[in-house]
Coordinates of all heavy atoms in Angstrom, one line a residue:
M15 N 1.4 21.2 33.4 CA 2.6 20.3 33.3 C 2.6 19.6 32.0 O 1.6 18.9 31.6 CB 2.5 19.3 34.4 CG 3.7 18.4 34.5 SD 5.1 19.2 35.4 CE 6.4 18.0 35.1
T16 N 3.6 19.8 31.2 CA 3.6 19.1 29.9 C 4.6 17.9 30.0 O 5.3 17.7 31.0 CB 4.2 20.0 28.8 OG1 5.6 20.3 29.1 CG2 3.4 21.3 28.7
H17 N 4.5 17.1 29.0 CA 5.3 15.9 29.0 C 6.1 15.8 27.7 O 6.4 14.7 27.2 CB 4.5 14.6 29.1 CG 3.8 14.5 30.5 ND1 4.4 13.9 31.5 CD2 2.7 15.0 31.0 CE1 3.7 14.0 32.6 NE2 2.6 14.6 32.3
S18 N 6.4 17.0 27.1 CA 7.2 16.9 25.9 C 8.5 16.3 26.2 O 9.1 16.4 27.3 CB 7.4 18.3 25.3 OG 8.0 19.2 26.3
G19 N 9.0 15.5 25.3 CA 10.2 14.7 25.5 C 9.9 13.3 25.9 O 10.8 12.4 25.7
T20 N 8.6 13.0 26.3 CA 8.3 11.6 26.5 C 8.2 10.9 25.2 O 7.5 11.3 24.3 CB 6.9 11.6 27.2 OG1 6.9 12.3 28.4 CG2 6.4 10.1 27.4
T21 N 8.9 9.8 25.1 CA 8.8 8.9 23.9 C 7.6 8.0 24.0 O 7.5 7.1 24.8 CB 10.1 8.1 23.8 OG1 11.2 9.0 23.6 CG2 10.1 7.2 22.5
L22 N 6.7 8.3 23.0 CA 5.4 7.4 23.0 C 5.6 6.2 22.2 O 5.1 5.2 22.4 CB 4.3 8.2 22.5 CG 3.8 9.4 23.3 CD1 2.6 10.1 22.7 CD2 3.6 9.0 24.8
L23 N 6.4 6.3 21.1 CA 6.7 5.2 20.2 C 8.2 5.1 19.9 O 8.8 6.0 19.5 CB 5.9 5.3 18.9 CG 6.1 4.2 17.9 CD1 5.4 2.9 18.4 CD2 5.5 4.7 16.5
A24 N 8.7 3.9 20.2 CA 10.1 3.6 19.8 C 10.2 2.3 19.0 O 9.9 1.3 19.6 CB 11.0 3.5 21.1
V25 N 10.6 2.5 17.8 CA 10.8 1.3 16.9 C 12.3 1.0 16.9 O 13.1 1.9 16.5 CB 10.2 1.5 15.5 CG1 10.5 0.4 14.6 CG2 8.7 1.7 15.7
N26 N 12.7 -0.2 17.3 CA 14.1 -0.5 17.3 C 14.5 -1.7 16.5 O 13.9 -2.8 16.7 CB 14.5 -0.8 18.8 CG 14.4 0.4 19.7 OD1 14.7 1.5 19.3 ND2 13.8 0.2 20.9
N27 N 15.3 -1.5 15.5 CA 15.8 -2.6 14.7 C 14.7 -3.4 14.1 O 14.9 -4.7 14.0 CB 16.8 -3.4 15.5 CG 17.7 -4.3 14.6 OD1 18.0 -3.9 13.5 ND2 18.0 -5.5 15.1
L28 N 13.7 -2.9 13.6 CA 12.6 -3.6 13.2 C 12.9 -4.3 11.8 O 13.4 -3.7 10.9 CB 11.4 -2.7 12.9 CG 10.1 -3.3 12.4 CD1 9.5 -4.3 13.4 CD2 9.0 -2.3 12.0
K29 N 12.5 -5.6 11.7 CA 12.7 -6.4 10.5 C 11.5 -7.1 10.2 O 11.0 -7.9 11.0 CB 13.9 -7.4 10.7 CG 15.2 -6.7 11.0 CD 16.4 -7.7 11.0 CE 17.6 -6.9 11.4 NZ 18.9 -7.8 11.4
T30 N 10.9 -6.8 9.0 CA 9.7 -7.5 8.5 C 10.0 -8.1 7.2 O 10.3 -7.4 6.2 CB 8.5 -6.5 8.4 OG1 8.3 -5.9 9.7 CG2 7.2 -7.3 8.0
Y31 N 9.9 -9.4 7.1 CA 10.2 -10.2 5.9 C 8.9 -10.8 5.4 O 8.0 -11.1 6.1 CB 11.3 -11.2 6.1 CG 12.6 -10.8 6.6 CD1 13.6 -11.7 7.0 CD2 13.0 -9.4 6.7 CE1 14.8 -11.3 7.4 CE2 14.2 -9.0 7.1 CZ 15.2 -10.0 7.4 OH 16.4 -9.6 7.9
F32 N 9.0 -11.1 4.0 CA 7.9 -11.9 3.4 C 8.5 -13.1 2.8 O 9.5 -13.0 2.1 CB 7.2 -11.0 2.3 CG 6.4 -9.9 2.9 CD1 6.9 -8.7 3.1 CD2 5.0 -10.1 3.2 CE1 6.2 -7.6 3.6 CE2 4.3 -9.0 3.8 CZ 4.9 -7.8 3.9
S33 N 7.8 -14.2 2.9 CA 8.2 -15.4 2.2 C 7.4 -15.4 0.9 O 6.2 -15.3 0.8 CB 7.7 -16.7 3.0 OG 8.4 -16.8 4.2
T34 N 8.1 -15.6 -0.2 CA 7.5 -15.6 -1.6 C 8.1 -16.9 -2.3 O 9.1 -17.5 -1.8 CB 7.8 -14.4 -2.4 OG1 9.2 -14.5 -2.9 CG2 7.7 -13.1 -1.6
D35 N 7.5 -17.2 -3.4 CA 8.0 -18.3 -4.2 C 9.4 -18.1 -4.7 O 10.2 -19.0 -5.0 CB 7.1 -18.6 -5.5 CG 5.7 -19.0 -5.0 OD1 5.5 -19.5 -3.9 OD2 4.7 -18.9 -5.8
D36 N 9.8 -16.8 -4.8 CA 11.1 -16.5 -5.3 C 12.1 -16.2 -4.1 O 13.2 -15.8 -4.3 CB 11.1 -15.2 -6.1 CG 10.3 -15.4 -7.4 OD1 10.4 -16.5 -7.9 OD2 9.6 -14.5 -7.8
G37 N 11.7 -16.5 -2.9 CA 12.6 -16.4 -1.7 C 12.1 -15.4 -0.8 O 10.9 -15.0 -0.8
V38 N 12.9 -15.0 0.2 CA 12.6 -14.1 1.3 C 12.8 -12.7 0.8 O 13.9 -12.3 0.3 CB 13.4 -14.4 2.5 CG1 13.1 -13.4 3.6 CG2 13.1 -15.8 3.0
V39 N 11.7 -11.8 0.9 CA 11.8 -10.4 0.6 C 12.0 -9.7 2.0 O 11.1 -9.7 2.8 CB 10.6 -9.9 -0.1 CG1 10.7 -8.4 -0.3 CG2 10.4 -10.6 -1.4
K40 N 13.2 -9.0 2.1 CA 13.5 -8.3 3.4 C 12.9 -6.9 3.2 O 13.7 -5.9 2.9 CB 15.0 -8.3 3.6 CG 15.5 -9.7 3.8 CD 17.0 -9.7 4.2 CE 17.5 -11.1 4.5 NZ 18.9 -11.2 4.8
S41 N 11.6 -6.7 3.3 CA 11.0 -5.4 3.1 C 11.4 -4.3 4.0 O 11.6 -3.2 3.6 CB 9.5 -5.5 3.1 OG 9.0 -6.5 2.2
V42 N 11.5 -4.7 5.3 CA 12.1 -3.7 6.3 C 13.1 -4.5 7.0 O 12.9 -5.6 7.5 CB 10.9 -3.4 7.3 CG1 11.4 -2.6 8.5 CG2 9.8 -2.6 6.6
D43 N 14.3 -3.9 7.0 CA 15.5 -4.7 7.5 C 16.4 -3.9 8.4 O 17.5 -3.5 8.1 CB 16.3 -5.1 6.2 CG 17.2 -6.3 6.5 OD1 16.9 -7.1 7.5 OD2 18.2 -6.5 5.8
G44 N 15.8 -3.6 9.6 CA 16.6 -2.9 10.6 C 16.3 -1.5 10.7 O 17.2 -0.6 10.6
V45 N 15.0 -1.1 10.9 CA 14.5 0.2 11.0 C 14.4 0.7 12.5 O 13.8 0.0 13.3 CB 13.2 0.4 10.3 CG1 12.5 1.8 10.6 CG2 13.4 0.4 8.7
T46 N 15.0 1.9 12.8 CA 14.9 2.4 14.1 C 14.5 3.9 14.1 O 15.0 4.7 13.2 CB 16.3 2.3 14.8 OG1 16.7 1.0 14.9 CG2 16.3 3.0 16.2
F47 N 13.5 4.2 14.9 CA 13.1 5.6 15.0 C 12.3 5.8 16.2 O 11.8 4.7 16.8 CB 12.3 6.1 13.8 CG 11.0 5.4 13.5 CD1 9.8 5.9 14.1 CD2 10.9 4.3 12.7 CE1 8.6 5.3 13.9 CE2 9.7 3.6 12.5 CZ 8.5 4.1 13.1
H48 N 12.1 7.0 16.7 CA 11.2 7.2 17.8 C 10.3 8.5 17.6 O 10.7 9.3 16.9 CB 11.9 7.2 19.2 CG 12.7 8.4 19.4 ND1 14.0 8.5 19.0 CD2 12.4 9.6 20.0 CE1 14.5 9.6 19.3 NE2 13.6 10.4 19.9
I49 N 9.2 8.5 18.3 CA 8.3 9.7 18.2 C 8.0 10.1 19.6 O 7.5 9.3 20.4 CB 7.0 9.3 17.4 CG1 7.3 8.8 16.0 CG2 6.2 10.6 17.3 CD1 6.1 8.4 15.2
N50 N 8.2 11.4 19.9 CA 7.9 11.9 21.3 C 6.5 12.5 21.3 O 5.9 12.8 20.2 CB 8.9 13.0 21.7 CG 10.3 12.5 21.9 OD1 10.5 11.2 22.1 ND2 11.3 13.3 21.7
K51 N 6.0 12.6 22.5 CA 4.7 13.2 22.6 C 4.6 14.5 21.9 O 5.5 15.4 22.1 CB 4.3 13.3 24.1 CG 2.9 13.8 24.3 CD 2.5 13.6 25.8 CE 1.0 14.0 25.9 NZ 0.6 13.8 27.3
G52 N 3.6 14.7 21.1 CA 3.4 16.0 20.5 C 4.1 16.1 19.1 O 3.9 17.1 18.4
E53 N 4.9 15.2 18.8 CA 5.7 15.2 17.5 C 4.9 14.5 16.4 O 4.1 13.6 16.6 CB 7.0 14.5 17.7 CG 8.0 15.2 18.4 CD 9.4 14.5 18.5 OE1 9.4 13.3 18.1 OE2 10.4 15.1 18.8
T54 N 5.2 15.0 15.2 CA 4.7 14.3 14.0 C 6.0 13.9 13.2 O 6.9 14.6 13.1 CB 3.9 15.3 13.1 OG1 2.8 15.7 13.9 CG2 3.4 14.6 11.8
L55 N 6.0 12.6 12.7 CA 7.1 12.1 12.0 C 6.6 11.8 10.5 O 5.7 11.1 10.3 CB 7.6 10.8 12.6 CG 8.8 10.2 11.8 CD1 10.1 11.0 12.0 CD2 9.0 8.8 12.3
A56 N 7.3 12.4 9.6 CA 7.0 12.1 8.2 C 8.0 11.2 7.7 O 9.2 11.4 7.9 CB 7.0 13.4 7.4
V57 N 7.6 10.1 7.0 CA 8.5 9.1 6.5 C 8.6 9.3 4.9 O 7.5 9.2 4.3 CB 8.2 7.7 6.8 CG1 9.1 6.7 6.2 CG2 8.1 7.5 8.3
V58 N 9.8 9.6 4.4 CA 9.9 9.9 3.0 C 10.8 8.9 2.4 O 11.9 8.5 3.0 CB 10.5 11.3 2.8 CG1 10.7 11.6 1.3 CG2 9.6 12.4 3.5
G59 N 10.5 8.4 1.2 CA 11.4 7.5 0.5 C 10.9 7.0 -0.8 O 9.7 7.2 -1.0
E60 N 11.7 6.4 -1.6 CA 11.2 6.0 -2.9 C 10.2 4.9 -2.8 O 10.2 4.2 -1.8 CB 12.4 5.6 -3.8 CG 13.1 4.4 -3.3 CD 14.4 4.1 -4.2 OE1 14.2 3.7 -5.3 OE2 15.5 4.3 -3.7
S61 N 9.5 4.8 -3.9 CA 8.5 3.7 -3.9 C 9.2 2.3 -3.7 O 10.2 2.0 -4.3 CB 7.8 3.7 -5.3 OG 6.8 2.7 -5.4
G62 N 8.6 1.5 -2.9 CA 9.1 0.2 -2.6 C 10.2 0.2 -1.5 O 10.8 -0.9 -1.3
S63 N 10.4 1.3 -0.9 CA 11.5 1.4 0.1 C 11.1 0.9 1.5 O 11.9 0.7 2.4 CB 12.1 2.8 0.3 OG 11.1 3.7 0.7
G64 N 9.8 0.6 1.7 CA 9.3 0.0 2.9 C 8.6 0.9 3.8 O 8.3 0.5 5.0
K65 N 8.1 2.0 3.4 CA 7.3 2.9 4.2 C 6.0 2.3 4.7 O 5.7 2.3 5.9 CB 7.0 4.2 3.4 CG 8.1 4.9 2.9 CD 7.8 6.2 2.1 CE 6.9 5.9 0.9 NZ 7.6 5.2 -0.2
S66 N 5.2 1.6 3.8 CA 3.9 1.1 4.1 C 4.2 -0.2 5.0 O 3.4 -0.3 6.0 CB 3.2 0.7 2.9 OG 2.8 1.8 2.2
V67 N 5.1 -1.0 4.7 CA 5.4 -2.2 5.5 C 5.8 -1.8 6.9 O 5.4 -2.4 7.9 CB 6.3 -3.2 4.8 CG1 6.7 -4.3 5.8 CG2 5.7 -3.7 3.5
T68 N 6.6 -0.7 7.1 CA 7.0 -0.2 8.4 C 5.7 0.2 9.2 O 5.5 -0.3 10.3 CB 7.9 1.0 8.3 OG1 9.1 0.6 7.6 CG2 8.2 1.6 9.6
S69 N 4.9 1.0 8.5 CA 3.6 1.5 9.2 C 2.7 0.4 9.6 O 2.1 0.3 10.7 CB 2.9 2.5 8.3 OG 3.8 3.6 8.0
L70 N 2.5 -0.5 8.6 CA 1.6 -1.7 8.9 C 2.1 -2.6 10.0 O 1.4 -3.2 10.7 CB 1.4 -2.5 7.6 CG 0.5 -1.7 6.5 CD1 0.6 -2.4 5.2 CD2 -0.9 -1.6 7.0
S71 N 3.5 -2.7 10.1 CA 4.1 -3.5 11.1 C 3.8 -2.9 12.5 O 3.4 -3.6 13.4 CB 5.6 -3.6 10.9 OG 5.9 -4.2 9.7
V72 N 3.9 -1.5 12.6 CA 3.6 -0.9 13.9 C 2.2 -1.1 14.3 O 1.9 -1.3 15.5 CB 3.9 0.6 13.8 CG1 3.4 1.4 15.0 CG2 5.4 0.9 13.6
M73 N 1.2 -1.2 13.3 CA -0.1 -1.4 13.6 C -0.5 -2.9 13.7 O -1.6 -3.3 14.0 CB -1.0 -0.8 12.5 CG -0.9 0.7 12.5 SD -1.4 1.6 14.0 CE -3.2 1.4 13.9
R74 N 0.5 -3.7 13.5 CA 0.3 -5.2 13.5 C -0.7 -5.6 12.4 O -1.6 -6.4 12.7 CB 0.0 -5.7 14.8 CG 1.2 -5.8 15.8 CD 1.8 -7.2 15.8 NE 0.9 -8.2 16.0 CZ 0.5 -8.6 17.2 NH1 1.0 -8.1 18.3 NH2 -0.4 -9.5 17.4
L75 N -0.6 -5.0 11.3 CA -1.6 -5.3 10.2 C -1.0 -6.0 9.0 O -1.5 -6.0 7.9 CB -2.3 -4.0 9.8 CG -3.2 -3.4 10.8 CD1 -3.8 -2.0 10.4 CD2 -4.4 -4.3 11.1
I76 N 0.2 -6.5 9.2 CA 0.9 -7.3 8.2 C 0.3 -8.6 8.1 O 0.2 -9.3 9.1 CB 2.4 -7.4 8.5 CG1 3.1 -6.0 8.4 CG2 3.1 -8.4 7.5 CD1 3.3 -5.5 7.0
P77 N -0.2 -9.1 7.0 CA -0.7 -10.5 6.9 C 0.4 -11.5 7.1 O 1.5 -11.5 6.5 CB -1.2 -10.6 5.5 CG -0.5 -9.5 4.7 CD -0.2 -8.4 5.7
M78 N 0.2 -12.3 8.2 CA 1.2 -13.3 8.6 C 0.6 -14.7 8.6 O -0.2 -15.0 9.5 CB 1.8 -13.0 10.0 CG 2.3 -11.6 10.2 SD 3.1 -11.3 11.7 CE 3.2 -9.5 11.9
P79 N 1.0 -15.6 7.8 CA 1.9 -15.4 6.6 C 1.2 -14.6 5.5 O 0.0 -14.5 5.6 CB 2.2 -16.8 6.2 CG 1.0 -17.7 6.6 CD 0.5 -17.0 7.8
P80 N 1.9 -14.2 4.5 CA 3.3 -14.5 4.2 C 4.4 -13.7 4.9 O 5.6 -14.0 4.9 CB 3.4 -14.3 2.7 CG 2.5 -13.1 2.4 CD 1.3 -13.4 3.4
G81 N 3.9 -12.6 5.6 CA 4.8 -11.7 6.3 C 5.2 -12.2 7.7 O 4.5 -13.1 8.2
K82 N 6.2 -11.7 8.2 CA 6.6 -12.0 9.6 C 7.5 -10.9 10.1 O 8.5 -10.4 9.4 CB 7.4 -13.3 9.7 CG 7.6 -13.9 11.0 CD 8.1 -15.3 11.0 CE 8.5 -16.0 12.3 NZ 8.1 -15.4 13.6
I83 N 7.3 -10.4 11.3 CA 8.2 -9.6 12.0 C 9.3 -10.5 12.6 O 9.0 -11.2 13.6 CB 7.5 -8.7 13.1 CG1 6.5 -7.8 12.5 CG2 8.5 -7.9 13.9 CD1 5.6 -7.0 13.4
V84 N 10.5 -10.5 12.1 CA 11.4 -11.5 12.5 C 12.4 -11.0 13.6 O 13.1 -11.7 14.2 CB 12.3 -12.0 11.2 CG1 11.4 -12.6 10.2 CG2 13.1 -10.9 10.6
D85 N 12.4 -9.6 13.7 CA 13.3 -9.1 14.8 C 12.9 -7.7 15.1 O 12.1 -7.0 14.4 CB 14.8 -9.1 14.3 CG 15.8 -9.0 15.4 OD1 15.4 -9.0 16.6 OD2 17.0 -8.9 15.1
G86 N 13.4 -7.2 16.2 CA 13.2 -5.8 16.6 C 12.0 -5.7 17.6 O 11.4 -6.7 18.0
E87 N 11.8 -4.5 18.1 CA 10.8 -4.2 19.1 C 10.0 -2.9 18.7 O 10.6 -2.0 18.0 CB 11.3 -4.1 20.5 CG 12.5 -3.1 20.7 CD 13.1 -3.3 22.1 OE1 12.8 -4.2 22.8 OE2 13.8 -2.4 22.4
I88 N 8.8 -2.9 19.1 CA 7.9 -1.7 18.8 C 7.3 -1.3 20.2 O 6.3 -1.9 20.6 CB 6.8 -2.1 17.8 CG1 7.3 -2.6 16.5 CG2 5.9 -0.9 17.6 CD1 6.3 -3.2 15.6
L89 N 8.0 -0.4 20.9 CA 7.7 0.0 22.2 C 6.7 1.2 22.1 O 7.0 2.2 21.6 CB 8.9 0.4 23.0 CG 10.0 -0.7 23.1 CD1 11.2 -0.3 23.9 CD2 9.4 -2.0 23.7
F90 N 5.5 1.0 22.7 CA 4.4 2.0 22.6 C 3.8 2.2 24.0 O 3.5 1.3 24.7 CB 3.4 1.5 21.6 CG 2.2 2.4 21.5 CD1 2.3 3.7 21.0 CD2 0.9 2.0 22.0 CE1 1.3 4.6 20.9 CE2 -0.2 2.9 21.9 CZ 0.0 4.1 21.3
I91 N 3.7 3.5 24.3 CA 3.0 3.8 25.6 C 1.6 4.3 25.2 O 1.4 5.3 24.5 CB 3.7 5.0 26.3 CG1 5.1 4.5 26.7 CG2 2.9 5.4 27.5 CD1 6.0 5.6 27.4
G92 N 0.6 3.5 25.6 CA -0.8 3.8 25.3 C -1.4 4.8 26.2 O -0.8 5.3 27.1
K93 N -2.8 4.8 26.1 CA -3.5 5.8 27.0 C -3.4 5.4 28.5 O -3.6 6.3 29.3 CB -5.0 5.8 26.6 CG -5.2 6.6 25.3 CD -6.7 6.7 24.9 CE -6.9 7.5 23.7 NZ -8.3 7.4 23.3
D94 N -3.2 4.2 28.7 CA -3.0 3.7 30.1 C -1.6 4.0 30.7 O -1.4 3.8 31.9 CB -3.3 2.2 30.2 CG -2.3 1.3 29.5 OD1 -1.4 1.9 28.8 OD2 -2.6 0.1 29.4
G95 N -0.8 4.6 29.9 CA 0.6 5.0 30.4 C 1.6 3.9 30.5 O 2.7 4.1 31.0
V96 N 1.1 2.7 30.1 CA 2.0 1.5 30.3 C 2.7 1.2 28.9 O 2.0 1.1 27.9 CB 1.2 0.3 30.7 CG1 2.0 -1.0 30.9 CG2 0.5 0.5 32.1
Q97 N 4.0 1.0 29.0 CA 4.7 0.7 27.8 C 4.6 -0.8 27.4 O 4.8 -1.6 28.3 CB 6.2 1.1 27.9 CG 6.9 0.9 26.6 CD 8.4 1.2 26.8 OE1 9.2 0.4 27.4 NE2 8.9 2.3 26.2
K98 N 4.3 -1.1 26.2 CA 4.2 -2.4 25.7 C 5.0 -2.6 24.4 O 5.1 -1.7 23.7 CB 2.7 -2.8 25.4 CG 1.9 -3.0 26.7 CD 0.4 -3.0 26.5 CE -0.2 -3.0 27.9 NZ -1.5 -2.3 27.9
N99 N 5.5 -3.9 24.3 CA 6.1 -4.2 23.0 C 5.1 -4.7 22.0 O 4.6 -5.9 22.3 CB 7.3 -5.2 23.2 CG 8.0 -5.5 22.0 OD1 7.7 -5.1 20.9 ND2 9.1 -6.2 22.1
L100 N 4.7 -4.0 21.0 CA 3.6 -4.4 20.2 C 3.9 -5.6 19.4 O 3.0 -6.3 18.8 CB 3.1 -3.2 19.3 CG 2.7 -2.0 19.9 CD1 2.2 -1.0 18.9 CD2 1.7 -2.2 21.0
V101 N 5.2 -6.0 19.3 CA 5.5 -7.3 18.6 C 4.8 -8.5 19.4 O 4.5 -9.5 18.7 CB 7.0 -7.4 18.6 CG1 7.4 -8.8 18.0 CG2 7.6 -6.3 17.6
N102 N 4.7 -8.3 20.7 CA 4.3 -9.5 21.5 C 2.8 -9.4 22.0 O 2.3 -10.4 22.5 CB 5.1 -9.5 22.8 CG 6.6 -9.7 22.5 OD1 6.9 -10.3 21.5 ND2 7.4 -9.1 23.3
V103 N 2.1 -8.3 21.9 CA 0.8 -8.2 22.5 C -0.2 -9.1 21.8 O 0.0 -9.3 20.6 CB 0.3 -6.8 22.8 CG1 1.3 -5.9 23.5 CG2 -0.1 -6.1 21.4
S104 N -1.2 -9.5 22.5 CA -2.3 -10.3 21.9 C -3.1 -9.5 20.8 O -3.1 -8.3 20.8 CB -3.2 -10.8 22.9 OG -4.0 -9.7 23.4
E105 N -3.7 -10.3 20.0 CA -4.6 -9.7 18.9 C -5.7 -8.9 19.6 O -6.0 -7.8 19.1 CB -5.1 -10.7 18.0 CG -5.9 -10.2 16.8 CD -5.1 -9.1 16.0 OE1 -3.9 -9.2 15.8 OE2 -5.8 -8.1 15.6
A106 N -6.2 -9.4 20.7 CA -7.3 -8.7 21.4 C -6.8 -7.4 21.9 O -7.5 -6.3 21.8 CB -7.8 -9.6 22.5
E107 N -5.7 -7.3 22.4 CA -5.1 -6.1 23.0 C -4.8 -5.1 21.8 O -5.0 -3.9 21.9 CB -3.8 -6.4 23.8 CG -3.4 -5.2 24.6 CD -2.6 -5.5 25.8 OE1 -2.3 -6.7 26.0 OE2 -2.3 -4.6 26.6
M108 N -4.3 -5.7 20.7 CA -4.0 -4.8 19.6 C -5.3 -4.1 19.1 O -5.3 -2.9 18.7 CB -3.4 -5.6 18.4 CG -1.9 -5.7 18.4 SD -1.0 -4.3 18.7 CE -1.4 -3.1 17.4
R109 N -6.4 -4.8 19.2 CA -7.7 -4.2 18.7 C -8.0 -3.0 19.6 O -8.5 -2.0 19.1 CB -8.8 -5.2 18.7 CG -8.8 -6.0 17.4 CD -10.2 -6.8 17.2 NE -10.3 -7.8 18.2 CZ -9.8 -9.1 18.1 NH1 -9.2 -9.4 17.0 NH2 -10.0 -10.0 19.0
K110 N -7.8 -3.2 20.9 CA -8.0 -2.0 21.8 C -7.1 -0.9 21.5 O -7.5 0.3 21.6 CB -7.8 -2.5 23.3 CG -8.9 -3.3 23.9 CD -8.6 -3.5 25.4 CE -9.1 -4.9 25.8 NZ -8.4 -5.3 27.0
I111 N -5.8 -1.2 21.3 CA -4.8 -0.1 21.0 C -5.2 0.6 19.7 O -5.1 1.9 19.6 CB -3.4 -0.7 20.9 CG1 -3.0 -1.2 22.3 CG2 -2.4 0.3 20.4 CD1 -1.7 -2.0 22.4
R112 N -5.6 -0.1 18.7 CA -5.9 0.5 17.4 C -7.2 1.3 17.5 O -7.3 2.4 16.8 CB -6.2 -0.6 16.3 CG -4.9 -1.3 15.8 CD -5.2 -2.2 14.6 NE -4.3 -3.3 14.5 CZ -4.7 -4.6 14.8 NH1 -5.9 -4.9 15.2 NH2 -3.8 -5.5 14.7
G113 N -8.1 0.9 18.3 CA -9.4 1.6 18.4 C -10.3 1.3 17.2 O -10.0 0.5 16.3
N114 N -11.3 2.1 17.1 CA -12.4 1.8 16.1 C -12.0 2.5 14.8 O -11.5 3.6 14.8 CB -13.7 2.3 16.5 CG -14.2 1.4 17.7 OD1 -14.0 0.2 17.6 ND2 -14.9 2.0 18.6
Ligands
LIG29 N1 2.9 -9.1 0.7 C1 4.1 -8.9 0.2 N2 4.9 -9.9 -0.3 C2 6.1 -9.7 -0.9 N3 6.7 -8.5 -0.9 C3 6.1 -7.5 -0.4 C4 4.7 -7.6 0.2 N4 4.3 -6.4 0.6 C5 5.3 -5.5 0.3 N5 6.4 -6.2 -0.3 C6 7.6 -5.6 -0.8 O1 8.2 -4.9 0.3 C7 8.9 -3.7 -0.2 C8 8.5 -2.5 0.5 O2 7.1 -2.2 0.1 P1 6.3 -1.0 0.7 O3 6.5 -0.9 2.2 O4 4.9 -1.2 0.2 O5 7.0 0.3 0.0 P2 6.6 1.8 0.1 O6 5.4 1.9 0.9 O7 7.8 2.5 0.6 O8 6.4 2.2 -1.4 C9 8.7 -3.7 -1.7 O9 9.8 -4.3 -2.4 C10 7.4 -4.6 -1.9 O10 7.4 -5.2 -3.1
LIG30 MG1 3.5 2.7 0.4

């Protein structure tokens, strides 16, 4: 029995901003994508377009401050099969999700 088609990661309208001396930098401003079980997603774009900040946001590795996830959701189904919004989970739980 396969589960192809199961969405393991769904990023909806993600917005990650940074506070700087020169104002707010909207590094990621409304990004939406999903990845199904067994899929690989390649993100392509010019330098500075927000690829790294998107990925670091999903892993909750953006330094806050100066960064902040200001909107959106990161829905992830982990090994326990339970879907969680990674925007909200505790740091302790994120460490479990990230692994070693
Ligand atoms: N800590 C930060 N403070 C302010 N701006 C940042 C910070 N980190 C990244 N940025 C800005 O966010 C934008 C996206 O950066 P990044 O995700 O690294 O781009 P990419 O990985 O696509 O080259 C860039 O304009 C970058 O300067
Ligand atoms: Mg990068």
Side-chain angles (χ1 to χ4, degrees):
M15 186 80 187
T16 66
H17 294 270
S18 55
T20 302
T21 296
L22 295 184
L23 178 69
V25 173
N26 296 318
N27 195 36
L28 180 67
K29 299 186 181 184
T30 304
Y31 296 175
F32 291 91
S33 295
T34 77
D35 292 342
D36 295 326
V38 176
V39 176
K40 297 181 175 179
S41 298
V42 173
D43 201 23
V45 165
T46 297
F47 63 89
H48 70 272
I49 304 176
N50 293 337
K51 185 167 185 175
E53 284 183 346
T54 300
L55 178 71
V57 179
V58 179
E60 66 184 287
S61 181
S63 60
K65 305 179 297 293
S66 292
V67 173
T68 298
S69 305
L70 291 168
S71 297
V72 169
M73 297 299 285
R74 282 268 307 274
L75 292 173
I76 295 286
M78 306 189 195
K82 188 170 179 7
I83 296 174
V84 300
D85 200 5
E87 54 187 12
I88 301 167
L89 304 178
F90 177 66
I91 298 178
K93 285 182 178 173
D94 60 4
V96 178
Q97 186 183 70
K98 286 164 189 146
N99 184 353
L100 301 189
V101 172
N102 299 326
V103 306
S104 69
E105 186 51 39
E107 191 155 6
M108 272 314 299
R109 276 196 292 274
K110 282 190 216 158
I111 289 169
R112 290 188 206 108
N114 291 323

